[in-house]
Amino acid sequence: MPSVFLSHSNQDSETTLKAAAALRRAGFGVWVDFENIRGGADWLCEIEAGIARCDAVVVVLSKASARSVWVERECLYAFQLSKPVFTALVADVLIPLHLINIQYCDLRGDQKAGLAELASSIHAALAGEAALEDPAGSSAPTESNFFPYLAQLPQGDVATMVARDLFLWSRGFADELAFGGKRRPGFQARIQLNGRMTTIFSVRAYSRQPAVETPLDRLARHKPFRRRRKRAAFLRQLNRLLPKDARFDKAKANGRPAVALCHLSAAKAMEGFKALMLETAAELREAAKA
């Protein structure tokens, strides 16, 4: 009998019990912590053993479990052991990066139908009829999971279009493109200055408003941006691309102005931003040679 490990938040015990019952009726053995961990047992060792012995892991994804460090660890441990992972979506919630590439079974409406679909998907995968995409055992942003994650956010379709445009364009002038940032996932376009990589701009998946951010405070370490006058000039050029109510005050010349991606959706604004980044990179590179 194939077995399934249920990863869940304690706040979702009722839903988890229903999922466990449905999976047992479908012919699975089910491991769930509040049933399988004996009093006085080493909880962490029992969890590890439960995942190791199972054939698949199901994440009961709710608002509570999406925030749970332990649910994430269980999931990543399953990836490390090459266990197939499935998502049972039980609430309207932003899907975490480490689960973004995994097709979910929707239990938010017809729970009975969703559980039947979940059981069928597990049977098919274990029989070798389906292959789940492996997120490489990491919750770190990558090209394959960042853009789907971004698409879930406010104005996600526009933000994703702008971010992908910047990503593809940056390949032509940046010396390095790096994904990172678990809580604020994004990618950085970097150039090499004096033997070190320096970020020119970052695209950040801020939950309220995805944005492209220019770290003027860090660029201030390099000529010609050491001069505040130069940083102020950069800010004026940036402001010309933006609606009046989205422009930055002078203090941002010493900070990190973050432009909402939606403000770059128009061709004129996007081309102006690219030109400003190219000019900035060229000036920094030229000063570094001197």
Side-chain angles (χ1 to χ4, degrees):
M1 176 188 295
S3 62
V4 174
F5 180 100
L6 285 180
S7 178
H8 68 103
S9 164
N10 289 334
Q11 296 181 38
D12 304 312
S13 296
E14 184 178 347
T15 303
T16 302
L17 279 171
K18 290 180 181 178
L23 290 171
R24 287 185 176 118
R25 289 194 296 269
F28 294 101
V30 176
W31 196 105
V32 60
D33 57 5
F34 49 73
E35 293 181 352
N36 292 77
I37 296 181
R38 306 176 304 278
D42 186 325
W43 183 78
L44 184 57
C45 289
E46 291 286 340
I47 291 288
E48 289 180 347
I51 296 173
R53 287 194 296 263
C54 77
D55 297 296
V57 170
V58 172
V59 180
V60 179
L61 187 59
S62 66
K63 292 181 180 179
S65 63
R67 296 191 300 265
S68 170
V69 172
W70 284 107
V71 169
E72 180 183 5
R73 288 176 180 173
E74 290 167 359
C75 187
L76 297 181
Y77 188 64
F79 290 144
Q80 184 175 306
L81 296 179
S82 299
K83 303 287 182 178
V85 176
F86 301 81
T87 301
L89 186 64
V90 300
D92 295 327
V93 62
L94 191 70
I95 298 176
L97 275 168
H98 59 284
L99 296 174
I100 197 71
N101 289 347
I102 297 173
Q103 185 175 359
Y104 61 82
C105 294
D106 196 341
L107 275 61
R108 292 171 296 179
D110 188 339
Q111 199 169 90
K112 184 177 180 180
L115 288 168
E117 179 190 352
L118 175 64
S120 177
S121 297
I122 300 171
H123 275 305
L126 296 183
E129 298 172 11
L132 295 177
E133 188 169 353
D134 180 10
S138 172
S139 59
T142 65
E143 182 177 356
S144 64
N145 65 12
F146 174 69
F147 297 109
Y149 179 85
L150 190 65
Q152 301 178 94
L153 300 178
Q155 297 184 299
D157 52 347
V158 174
T160 304
M161 176 190 71
V162 173
R164 195 179 293 279
D165 186 336
L166 287 172
F167 176 74
L168 296 174
W169 168 76
S170 298
R171 288 174 170 174
F173 90 95
D175 296 316
E176 178 182 86
L177 290 174
F179 285 91
K182 180 179 171 183
R183 293 189 178 275
R184 295 176 178 175
F187 71 84
Q188 297 83 46
R190 300 170 176 167
I191 63 172
Q192 191 170 52
L193 299 175
N194 300 316
R196 299 183 65 178
M197 289 295 176
T198 299
T199 297
I200 297 297
F201 70 83
S202 304
V203 172
R204 299 286 187 186
Y206 294 116
S207 57
R208 291 186 178 180
Q209 193 170 61
V212 56
E213 181 180 273
T214 306
L216 290 177
D217 57 343
R218 293 188 176 180
L219 294 183
R221 303 170 187 173
H222 305 277
K223 294 179 180 180
F225 285 83
R226 289 177 183 171
R227 302 195 306 272
R228 193 184 190 287
R229 184 173 56 184
K230 177 61 182 174
R231 301 194 302 278
F234 174 98
L235 198 64
R236 286 194 297 272
Q237 288 180 267
L238 184 62
N239 277 337
R240 293 190 191 108
L241 306 175
L242 304 177
K244 288 184 178 180
D245 60 354
R247 291 174 182 174
F248 302 100
D249 61 33
K250 295 179 180 180
K252 276 296 182 180
N254 296 320
R256 299 182 185 184
V259 176
L261 292 180
C262 62
H263 292 323
L264 298 183
S265 59
K268 184 176 181 180
M270 174 64 85
E271 293 311 308
F273 182 79
K274 290 177 180 178
L276 181 56
M277 292 301 103
L278 286 174
E279 179 184 343
T280 298
E283 290 176 331
L284 288 163
R285 284 169 169 152
E286 187 63 29
K289 292 178 183 178

Short mmCIF file of all heavy atoms in Angstrom, two decimals, residues 94-147:
data_model
loop_
_atom_site.label_atom_id
_atom_site.label_comp_id
_atom_site.label_asym_id
_atom_site.label_seq_id
_atom_site.Cartn_x
_atom_site.Cartn_y
_atom_site.Cartn_z
N LEU A 94 -1.27 33.22 -1.35
CA LEU A 94 -0.14 33.32 -2.27
C LEU A 94 0.67 32.03 -2.19
O LEU A 94 1.10 31.62 -1.11
CB LEU A 94 0.74 34.50 -1.87
CG LEU A 94 1.83 34.92 -2.86
CD1 LEU A 94 1.22 35.54 -4.10
CD2 LEU A 94 2.77 35.91 -2.19
N ILE A 95 0.84 31.34 -3.30
CA ILE A 95 1.56 30.06 -3.29
C ILE A 95 3.04 30.33 -3.09
O ILE A 95 3.65 31.11 -3.82
CB ILE A 95 1.32 29.29 -4.59
CG1 ILE A 95 -0.17 28.97 -4.73
CG2 ILE A 95 2.14 28.00 -4.62
CD1 ILE A 95 -0.55 28.29 -6.02
N PRO A 96 3.68 29.70 -2.09
CA PRO A 96 5.11 29.95 -1.81
C PRO A 96 5.99 29.57 -2.99
O PRO A 96 5.64 28.71 -3.82
CB PRO A 96 5.39 29.04 -0.60
CG PRO A 96 4.06 28.79 0.02
CD PRO A 96 3.09 28.77 -1.13
N LEU A 97 7.16 30.19 -3.05
CA LEU A 97 8.08 29.96 -4.15
C LEU A 97 8.42 28.49 -4.34
O LEU A 97 8.50 27.99 -5.46
CB LEU A 97 9.37 30.75 -3.92
CG LEU A 97 9.37 32.20 -4.38
CD1 LEU A 97 10.58 32.92 -3.83
CD2 LEU A 97 9.36 32.28 -5.90
N HIS A 98 8.65 27.77 -3.24
CA HIS A 98 9.11 26.39 -3.38
C HIS A 98 8.01 25.45 -3.87
O HIS A 98 8.29 24.31 -4.23
CB HIS A 98 9.71 25.88 -2.07
CG HIS A 98 8.77 25.90 -0.91
ND1 HIS A 98 8.44 27.06 -0.24
CD2 HIS A 98 8.08 24.91 -0.29
CE1 HIS A 98 7.61 26.78 0.74
NE2 HIS A 98 7.36 25.49 0.73
N LEU A 99 6.76 25.95 -3.93
CA LEU A 99 5.65 25.14 -4.43
C LEU A 99 5.07 25.68 -5.74
O LEU A 99 4.13 25.10 -6.27
CB LEU A 99 4.53 25.07 -3.39
CG LEU A 99 4.88 24.37 -2.07
CD1 LEU A 99 3.71 24.50 -1.09
CD2 LEU A 99 5.22 22.90 -2.29
N ILE A 100 5.62 26.77 -6.23
CA ILE A 100 4.99 27.47 -7.34
C ILE A 100 4.96 26.65 -8.62
O ILE A 100 4.07 26.79 -9.45
CB ILE A 100 5.69 28.84 -7.59
CG1 ILE A 100 4.80 29.75 -8.44
CG2 ILE A 100 7.04 28.64 -8.25
CD1 ILE A 100 3.60 30.26 -7.73
N ASN A 101 5.91 25.73 -8.81
CA ASN A 101 5.96 24.95 -10.04
C ASN A 101 5.15 23.66 -9.96
O ASN A 101 5.15 22.87 -10.89
CB ASN A 101 7.41 24.59 -10.38
CG ASN A 101 8.19 25.80 -10.84
OD1 ASN A 101 7.62 26.84 -11.14
ND2 ASN A 101 9.50 25.69 -10.92
N ILE A 102 4.50 23.44 -8.84
CA ILE A 102 3.75 22.20 -8.64
C ILE A 102 2.27 22.47 -8.85
O ILE A 102 1.69 23.35 -8.23
CB ILE A 102 3.99 21.65 -7.22
CG1 ILE A 102 5.47 21.30 -7.04
CG2 ILE A 102 3.11 20.43 -6.95
CD1 ILE A 102 5.83 20.90 -5.63
N GLN A 103 1.65 21.70 -9.72
CA GLN A 103 0.23 21.87 -9.96
C GLN A 103 -0.55 21.49 -8.70
O GLN A 103 -0.29 20.46 -8.09
CB GLN A 103 -0.22 20.98 -11.13
CG GLN A 103 -1.67 21.18 -11.51
CD GLN A 103 -2.06 20.39 -12.74
OE1 GLN A 103 -1.23 19.70 -13.32
NE2 GLN A 103 -3.31 20.49 -13.15
N TYR A 104 -1.49 22.33 -8.32
CA TYR A 104 -2.22 22.08 -7.08
C TYR A 104 -3.60 21.49 -7.37
O TYR A 104 -4.17 21.66 -8.45
CB TYR A 104 -2.37 23.36 -6.26
CG TYR A 104 -3.13 24.48 -6.94
CD1 TYR A 104 -4.52 24.50 -6.93
CD2 TYR A 104 -2.46 25.53 -7.56
CE1 TYR A 104 -5.24 25.52 -7.53
CE2 TYR A 104 -3.17 26.55 -8.17
CZ TYR A 104 -4.56 26.55 -8.15
OH TYR A 104 -5.25 27.56 -8.75
N CYS A 105 -4.13 20.78 -6.37
CA CYS A 105 -5.51 20.32 -6.39
C CYS A 105 -6.32 21.30 -5.55
O CYS A 105 -5.97 21.59 -4.41
CB CYS A 105 -5.62 18.90 -5.83
SG CYS A 105 -4.78 17.68 -6.87
N ASP A 106 -7.39 21.80 -6.12
CA ASP A 106 -8.16 22.88 -5.49
C ASP A 106 -9.25 22.31 -4.60
O ASP A 106 -10.20 21.67 -5.07
CB ASP A 106 -8.77 23.76 -6.58
CG ASP A 106 -9.24 25.10 -6.05
OD1 ASP A 106 -9.42 25.22 -4.82
OD2 ASP A 106 -9.39 26.03 -6.86
N LEU A 107 -9.12 22.54 -3.28
CA LEU A 107 -10.11 22.08 -2.31
C LEU A 107 -10.94 23.23 -1.77
O LEU A 107 -11.65 23.08 -0.78
CB LEU A 107 -9.42 21.36 -1.15
CG LEU A 107 -9.11 19.86 -1.32
CD1 LEU A 107 -8.16 19.62 -2.48
CD2 LEU A 107 -8.50 19.30 -0.04
N ARG A 108 -10.87 24.41 -2.41
CA ARG A 108 -11.56 25.58 -1.88
C ARG A 108 -13.06 25.55 -2.16
O ARG A 108 -13.84 26.13 -1.42
CB ARG A 108 -10.94 26.85 -2.47
CG ARG A 108 -9.54 27.13 -2.01
CD ARG A 108 -8.92 28.28 -2.79
NE ARG A 108 -8.78 27.94 -4.20
CZ ARG A 108 -8.28 28.77 -5.12
NH1 ARG A 108 -7.89 29.99 -4.76
NH2 ARG A 108 -8.18 28.40 -6.39
N GLY A 109 -13.46 24.85 -3.22
CA GLY A 109 -14.88 24.78 -3.56
C GLY A 109 -15.44 23.42 -3.24
O GLY A 109 -15.78 23.10 -2.09
N ASP A 110 -15.53 22.57 -4.27
CA ASP A 110 -16.03 21.21 -4.10
C ASP A 110 -14.91 20.36 -3.51
O ASP A 110 -14.06 19.83 -4.23
CB ASP A 110 -16.48 20.66 -5.45
CG ASP A 110 -17.19 19.32 -5.33
OD1 ASP A 110 -17.01 18.63 -4.31
OD2 ASP A 110 -17.91 18.95 -6.27
N GLN A 111 -14.92 20.24 -2.19
CA GLN A 111 -13.82 19.54 -1.51
C GLN A 111 -13.77 18.06 -1.89
O GLN A 111 -12.68 17.49 -2.04
CB GLN A 111 -13.95 19.71 -0.01
CG GLN A 111 -12.66 19.43 0.75
CD GLN A 111 -12.77 19.85 2.20
OE1 GLN A 111 -13.17 19.07 3.05
NE2 GLN A 111 -12.40 21.10 2.48
N LYS A 112 -14.91 17.45 -2.05
CA LYS A 112 -14.96 16.03 -2.41
C LYS A 112 -14.30 15.80 -3.76
O LYS A 112 -13.49 14.88 -3.92
CB LYS A 112 -16.40 15.54 -2.43
CG LYS A 112 -16.54 14.06 -2.70
CD LYS A 112 -18.01 13.62 -2.62
CE LYS A 112 -18.15 12.13 -2.90
NZ LYS A 112 -19.59 11.71 -2.83
N ALA A 113 -14.62 16.64 -4.74
CA ALA A 113 -14.03 16.51 -6.07
C ALA A 113 -12.53 16.80 -6.03
O ALA A 113 -11.74 16.14 -6.70
CB ALA A 113 -14.73 17.46 -7.05
N GLY A 114 -12.15 17.81 -5.23
CA GLY A 114 -10.73 18.14 -5.11
C GLY A 114 -9.93 17.01 -4.51
O GLY A 114 -8.81 16.71 -4.95
N LEU A 115 -10.46 16.36 -3.49
CA LEU A 115 -9.76 15.24 -2.85
C LEU A 115 -9.68 14.04 -3.79
O LEU A 115 -8.67 13.32 -3.80
CB LEU A 115 -10.47 14.85 -1.56
CG LEU A 115 -10.30 15.85 -0.40
CD1 LEU A 115 -11.26 15.54 0.73
CD2 LEU A 115 -8.85 15.85 0.09
N ALA A 116 -10.72 13.84 -4.60
CA ALA A 116 -10.68 12.75 -5.58
C ALA A 116 -9.60 13.01 -6.62
O ALA A 116 -8.86 12.10 -7.03
CB ALA A 116 -12.05 12.61 -6.25
N GLU A 117 -9.49 14.28 -7.04
CA GLU A 117 -8.44 14.65 -8.00
C GLU A 117 -7.06 14.46 -7.40
O GLU A 117 -6.13 13.98 -8.06
CB GLU A 117 -8.62 16.11 -8.42
CG GLU A 117 -7.56 16.59 -9.42
CD GLU A 117 -7.62 18.09 -9.65
OE1 GLU A 117 -8.57 18.74 -9.16
OE2 GLU A 117 -6.70 18.60 -10.30
N LEU A 118 -6.91 14.82 -6.11
CA LEU A 118 -5.63 14.65 -5.42
C LEU A 118 -5.23 13.19 -5.38
O LEU A 118 -4.08 12.83 -5.71
CB LEU A 118 -5.74 15.22 -4.01
CG LEU A 118 -4.53 15.03 -3.09
CD1 LEU A 118 -3.32 15.78 -3.64
CD2 LEU A 118 -4.85 15.52 -1.67
N ALA A 119 -6.15 12.31 -4.97
CA ALA A 119 -5.85 10.88 -4.90
C ALA A 119 -5.48 10.33 -6.26
O ALA A 119 -4.52 9.54 -6.41
CB ALA A 119 -7.04 10.13 -4.33
N SER A 120 -6.22 10.75 -7.30
CA SER A 120 -5.94 10.28 -8.65
C SER A 120 -4.56 10.73 -9.12
O SER A 120 -3.82 9.97 -9.75
CB SER A 120 -7.02 10.81 -9.60
OG SER A 120 -6.75 10.45 -10.93
N SER A 121 -4.20 11.98 -8.81
CA SER A 121 -2.89 12.51 -9.21
C SER A 121 -1.75 11.75 -8.54
O SER A 121 -0.73 11.45 -9.18
CB SER A 121 -2.80 14.00 -8.86
OG SER A 121 -3.75 14.74 -9.56
N ILE A 122 -1.93 11.42 -7.26
CA ILE A 122 -0.87 10.69 -6.55
C ILE A 122 -0.74 9.28 -7.13
O ILE A 122 0.37 8.81 -7.39
CB ILE A 122 -1.18 10.63 -5.04
CG1 ILE A 122 -1.25 12.02 -4.44
CG2 ILE A 122 -0.10 9.82 -4.32
CD1 ILE A 122 -1.75 12.06 -3.00
N HIS A 123 -1.86 8.60 -7.36
CA HIS A 123 -1.82 7.26 -7.95
C HIS A 123 -1.10 7.28 -9.29
O HIS A 123 -0.25 6.43 -9.58
CB HIS A 123 -3.24 6.72 -8.13
CG HIS A 123 -3.82 6.06 -6.92
ND1 HIS A 123 -3.19 5.02 -6.25
CD2 HIS A 123 -4.99 6.30 -6.24
CE1 HIS A 123 -3.93 4.64 -5.23
NE2 HIS A 123 -5.02 5.40 -5.20
N ALA A 124 -1.45 8.27 -10.12
CA ALA A 124 -0.86 8.35 -11.46
C ALA A 124 0.64 8.60 -11.39
O ALA A 124 1.43 7.97 -12.11
CB ALA A 124 -1.54 9.47 -12.26
N ALA A 125 1.06 9.50 -10.49
CA ALA A 125 2.48 9.83 -10.38
C ALA A 125 3.28 8.63 -9.87
O ALA A 125 4.37 8.32 -10.38
CB ALA A 125 2.68 11.02 -9.46
N LEU A 126 2.75 7.94 -8.87
CA LEU A 126 3.46 6.80 -8.30
C LEU A 126 3.50 5.64 -9.28
O LEU A 126 4.40 4.79 -9.21
CB LEU A 126 2.82 6.37 -6.99
CG LEU A 126 2.87 7.39 -5.85
CD1 LEU A 126 2.26 6.82 -4.58
CD2 LEU A 126 4.31 7.84 -5.59
N ALA A 127 2.54 5.60 -10.21
CA ALA A 127 2.53 4.55 -11.23
C ALA A 127 3.42 4.91 -12.42
O ALA A 127 3.54 4.15 -13.36
CB ALA A 127 1.10 4.31 -11.71
N GLY A 128 4.01 6.10 -12.35
CA GLY A 128 4.91 6.52 -13.42
C GLY A 128 4.20 7.14 -14.60
O GLY A 128 4.79 7.34 -15.65
N GLU A 129 2.91 7.49 -14.43
CA GLU A 129 2.15 8.05 -15.54
C GLU A 129 2.27 9.56 -15.62
O GLU A 129 1.84 10.17 -16.58
CB GLU A 129 0.67 7.69 -15.38
CG GLU A 129 0.42 6.20 -15.43
CD GLU A 129 -1.01 5.85 -15.08
OE1 GLU A 129 -1.83 6.79 -15.01
OE2 GLU A 129 -1.29 4.67 -14.85
N ALA A 130 2.83 10.17 -14.56
CA ALA A 130 2.98 11.63 -14.56
C ALA A 130 4.28 11.98 -13.89
O ALA A 130 4.74 11.29 -13.00
CB ALA A 130 1.82 12.29 -13.81
N ALA A 131 4.87 13.04 -14.34
CA ALA A 131 6.13 13.50 -13.75
C ALA A 131 5.92 14.87 -13.16
O ALA A 131 5.44 15.79 -13.82
CB ALA A 131 7.23 13.57 -14.82
N LEU A 132 6.26 15.02 -11.90
CA LEU A 132 6.14 16.32 -11.25
C LEU A 132 7.40 17.11 -11.46
O LEU A 132 8.50 16.56 -11.42
CB LEU A 132 5.90 16.13 -9.75
CG LEU A 132 4.57 15.47 -9.38
CD1 LEU A 132 4.51 15.28 -7.88
CD2 LEU A 132 3.39 16.28 -9.86
N GLU A 133 7.26 18.40 -11.67
CA GLU A 133 8.43 19.25 -11.84
C GLU A 133 9.15 19.41 -10.51
O GLU A 133 8.54 19.72 -9.49
CB GLU A 133 8.01 20.61 -12.38
CG GLU A 133 9.19 21.48 -12.78
CD GLU A 133 8.72 22.70 -13.54
OE1 GLU A 133 7.55 22.80 -13.86
OE2 GLU A 133 9.58 23.57 -13.80
N ASP A 134 10.43 19.18 -10.51
CA ASP A 134 11.22 19.25 -9.28
C ASP A 134 11.78 20.65 -9.11
O ASP A 134 12.55 21.12 -9.94
CB ASP A 134 12.37 18.24 -9.36
CG ASP A 134 13.24 18.25 -8.12
OD1 ASP A 134 12.84 18.89 -7.13
OD2 ASP A 134 14.30 17.62 -8.14
N PRO A 135 11.42 21.37 -8.05
CA PRO A 135 11.97 22.69 -7.84
C PRO A 135 13.37 22.68 -7.27
O PRO A 135 13.81 23.63 -6.65
CB PRO A 135 10.99 23.32 -6.85
CG PRO A 135 10.03 22.30 -6.42
CD PRO A 135 10.42 21.01 -7.04
N ALA A 136 14.09 21.59 -7.49
CA ALA A 136 15.51 21.50 -7.12
C ALA A 136 15.75 21.59 -5.63
O ALA A 136 16.83 21.92 -5.19
CB ALA A 136 16.33 22.58 -7.85
N GLY A 137 14.73 21.28 -4.85
CA GLY A 137 14.91 21.24 -3.40
C GLY A 137 15.27 22.58 -2.79
O GLY A 137 15.92 22.66 -1.78
N SER A 138 14.84 23.66 -3.42
CA SER A 138 15.20 24.97 -2.91
C SER A 138 14.03 25.91 -2.98
O SER A 138 13.23 25.86 -3.91
CB SER A 138 16.36 25.54 -3.72
OG SER A 138 16.61 26.88 -3.34
N SER A 139 13.90 26.77 -1.97
CA SER A 139 12.86 27.79 -2.01
C SER A 139 13.38 29.09 -2.61
O SER A 139 12.69 30.09 -2.62
CB SER A 139 12.34 28.05 -0.60
OG SER A 139 13.38 28.47 0.25
N ALA A 140 14.63 29.09 -3.09
CA ALA A 140 15.21 30.30 -3.66
C ALA A 140 14.56 30.62 -5.00
O ALA A 140 14.21 29.71 -5.76
CB ALA A 140 16.72 30.12 -3.83
N PRO A 141 14.38 31.90 -5.32
CA PRO A 141 13.83 32.26 -6.63
C PRO A 141 14.75 31.83 -7.76
O PRO A 141 15.97 31.91 -7.65
CB PRO A 141 13.74 33.79 -6.57
CG PRO A 141 13.80 34.14 -5.13
CD PRO A 141 14.64 33.08 -4.49
N THR A 142 14.17 31.35 -8.84
CA THR A 142 14.89 31.05 -10.07
C THR A 142 14.08 31.63 -11.22
O THR A 142 12.94 32.07 -11.03
CB THR A 142 15.06 29.54 -10.27
OG1 THR A 142 13.75 28.96 -10.46
CG2 THR A 142 15.74 28.87 -9.08
N GLU A 143 14.64 31.56 -12.42
CA GLU A 143 13.91 32.08 -13.58
C GLU A 143 12.58 31.35 -13.75
O GLU A 143 11.57 31.94 -14.13
CB GLU A 143 14.76 31.94 -14.84
CG GLU A 143 14.11 32.51 -16.09
CD GLU A 143 15.01 32.42 -17.30
OE1 GLU A 143 16.18 31.98 -17.16
OE2 GLU A 143 14.54 32.76 -18.39
N SER A 144 12.55 30.04 -13.44
CA SER A 144 11.35 29.25 -13.67
C SER A 144 10.25 29.49 -12.63
O SER A 144 9.08 29.30 -12.91
CB SER A 144 11.70 27.76 -13.70
OG SER A 144 12.18 27.33 -12.44
N ASN A 145 10.62 29.89 -11.41
CA ASN A 145 9.55 30.06 -10.41
C ASN A 145 9.28 31.53 -10.04
O ASN A 145 8.23 31.83 -9.50
CB ASN A 145 9.84 29.25 -9.14
CG ASN A 145 11.07 29.71 -8.38
OD1 ASN A 145 11.63 30.76 -8.64
ND2 ASN A 145 11.50 28.90 -7.44
N PHE A 146 10.21 32.43 -10.35
CA PHE A 146 10.00 33.83 -9.97
C PHE A 146 8.84 34.45 -10.73
O PHE A 146 7.99 35.12 -10.15
CB PHE A 146 11.27 34.65 -10.21
CG PHE A 146 11.07 36.13 -9.97
CD1 PHE A 146 10.86 36.61 -8.69
CD2 PHE A 146 11.07 37.02 -11.02
CE1 PHE A 146 10.67 37.97 -8.46
CE2 PHE A 146 10.88 38.38 -10.81
CZ PHE A 146 10.68 38.86 -9.52
N PHE A 147 8.80 34.25 -12.05
CA PHE A 147 7.77 34.91 -12.85
C PHE A 147 6.36 34.36 -12.56
O PHE A 147 5.41 35.15 -12.47
CB PHE A 147 8.13 34.83 -14.33
CG PHE A 147 9.39 35.57 -14.66
CD1 PHE A 147 10.55 34.88 -14.99
CD2 PHE A 147 9.46 36.95 -14.58
CE1 PHE A 147 11.73 35.55 -15.26
CE2 PHE A 147 10.63 37.64 -14.84
CZ PHE A 147 11.78 36.93 -15.18
#
